[in-house]
Amino acid sequence: MKKIFGALASLSLAACGPQIETVSFKDGLPSQEMAKLDVPSKTSQRIDDGVATVRAQSYGELSGTWLVTGGTVLFVNGVTLWTLGSLNFVAGFEPTSDDGSTAVWGPHNNDWEGITWKLTAARTAPNAFKYTLEAKPRGSADSEYAAVITGSHTVAVDDDGKAIKGYGEGRFDIDYDKVARLPHQDSKRGRISFHYARPNPTAAVTVDVDLKEFVNDAAAPDTAAYRYSQVPGGEGSFEFATDSNIHWFDPTRVALERWSIKSRWTAKGEGRADVRATGGDLASPVTLNECWDTDFRSTFLDGSAPSQVKWGTESAGCAFIGASYSTR
């Protein structure tokens, strides 16, 4: 009878699965690479969002839609660099306190920006955490602290319950209304939300970004969505959508259209972008389709506008046959 009970106990423990390793607070925060977007590029090619307009003029020129894709990726990566860079700057110090369930870093001063930071992280599971990064102008009262970044992160574990360092999933929100109160910050306003997932070294990476009532250089708030997916060493895709007046040159047509682009590429870099504008002052959707080769040179261009310049053939010039528009 004792043997039977012992066997049942062993089966019960096995059914519960391996015990998850307890991850340290420092290893429980996302790195800059966790939410970074990677797209194919050539070392001789510079993607500059200053020329990020759909402006391919002839067959064989650098693809205009690829420049749009690359320029937008630079923008998203810039936000990620600032956000997780600030987080890891503070977490690079030893915690001021750590009782196993909550850790606090700071206050720490960022001398070159005149900002004082404080980071608080709370454990929600052996490998999961919630965190808040607060900031204030250096030398100001503690009542000036504002939560500029809030987020959560779960560290990936293997089949044995061991942490896979550098992998996991989570989300974070940036409140630019609060960031703007800090010294030497630009005029951004609104909120940006990130959700990222890097499950393991071979699984697809996904990063979703949403801008809510975001204001940068323009006066009008912007709402936009970005969706990124990349198989390590393989195919990838990036899509984004925003409301914008494509008839900016015509004062009689001021309504906002929904403008979206979805770009796809192979492991070698050749790819395709499908652009669509709907609503606003448009009587019917307007589309544009472009493909590029491994050097990002335009090989196919088509579109629905009557004045659209066209070149190439889809069957010969495209790595992906058939349009795939963003659903955002």
Side-chain angles (χ1 to χ4, degrees):
M1 184 65 71
K2 289 182 179 179
K3 290 181 179 180
I4 292 174
F5 282 126
L8 289 174
S10 297
L11 287 172
S12 177
L13 289 173
C16 293
Q19 185 174 356
I20 295 178
E21 177 184 10
T22 299
V23 179
S24 69
F25 278 103
K26 186 174 182 179
D27 290 336
L29 297 173
S31 65
Q32 291 178 340
E33 290 74 22
M34 196 66 68
K36 181 182 178 182
L37 312 183
D38 291 312
V39 294
S41 64
K42 300 284 187 181
T43 56
S44 60
Q45 177 195 323
R46 177 174 178 266
I47 298 175
D48 187 338
D49 60 358
V51 293
T53 55
V54 183
R55 62 111 182 95
Q57 296 177 355
S58 65
Y59 179 90
E61 284 194 346
L62 194 61
S63 165
T65 53
W66 176 250
L67 286 174
V68 171
T69 301
T72 308
V73 165
L74 285 179
F75 163 74
V76 175
N77 280 342
V79 174
T80 305
L81 181 67
W82 182 90
T83 305
L84 298 183
S86 299
L87 195 69
N88 286 283
F89 164 75
V90 182
F93 297 92
E94 287 298 317
T96 307
S97 63
D98 180 355
D99 63 6
S101 61
T102 303
V104 178
W105 289 262
H108 292 296
N109 293 311
N110 185 330
D111 293 331
W112 59 90
E113 287 184 325
I115 299 173
T116 298
W117 302 94
K118 183 171 69 173
L119 172 65
T120 303
R123 186 186 301 277
T124 58
N127 64 322
F129 306 84
K130 289 185 177 180
Y131 56 87
T132 301
L133 182 64
E134 299 175 276
K136 67 173 185 174
R138 184 176 181 179
S140 63
D142 286 350
S143 59
E144 295 299 308
Y145 271 120
V148 295
I149 302 170
T150 57
S152 61
H153 181 67
T154 300
V155 179
V157 296
D158 61 20
D159 293 339
D160 297 323
K162 301 295 183 182
I164 308 176
K165 193 169 183 179
Y167 293 90
E169 68 92 20
R171 65 177 306 115
F172 59 87
D173 297 311
I174 312 168
D175 190 333
Y176 273 106
D177 290 335
K178 296 176 180 178
V179 172
R181 303 174 191 172
L182 301 174
H184 308 299
Q185 299 303 313
D186 55 28
S187 59
K188 292 184 178 70
R189 296 289 191 278
R191 297 181 65 85
I192 299 183
S193 297
F194 280 73
H195 179 266
Y196 56 88
R198 291 179 184 260
N200 57 60
T202 59
V205 176
T206 59
V207 181
D208 296 343
V209 186
D210 291 284
L211 276 63
K212 303 172 183 177
E213 295 300 305
F214 181 77
V215 178
N216 194 5
D217 297 327
D222 185 20
T223 299
Y226 304 82
R227 300 294 182 263
Y228 170 88
S229 178
Q230 173 73 56
V231 177
E235 292 185 1
S237 68
F238 183 56
E239 59 181 294
F240 53 96
T242 187
D243 295 321
S244 178
N245 180 18
I246 65 173
H247 304 107
W248 54 269
F249 51 86
D250 186 346
T252 66
R253 293 189 287 180
V254 297
L256 300 180
E257 288 78 29
R258 188 64 171 178
W259 184 90
S260 67
I261 177 171
K262 181 175 181 179
S263 297
R264 296 171 286 166
W265 57 86
T266 69
K268 295 180 180 180
E270 57 189 343
R272 173 182 184 133
D274 297 298
V275 183
R276 180 167 58 185
T278 60
D281 289 314
L282 293 173
S284 60
V286 174
T287 60
L288 182 143
N289 316 95
E290 185 178 30
C291 298
W292 58 82
D293 61 18
T294 55
D295 291 319
F296 311 106
R297 304 291 174 177
S298 183
T299 55
F300 171 75
L301 187 68
D302 196 7
S304 63
S307 59
Q308 176 65 54
V309 177
K310 302 178 182 182
W311 57 72
T313 58
E314 185 178 31
S315 59
C318 295
F320 300 92
I321 305 300
S324 178
Y325 298 103
S326 172
T327 58
R328 303 296 164 186

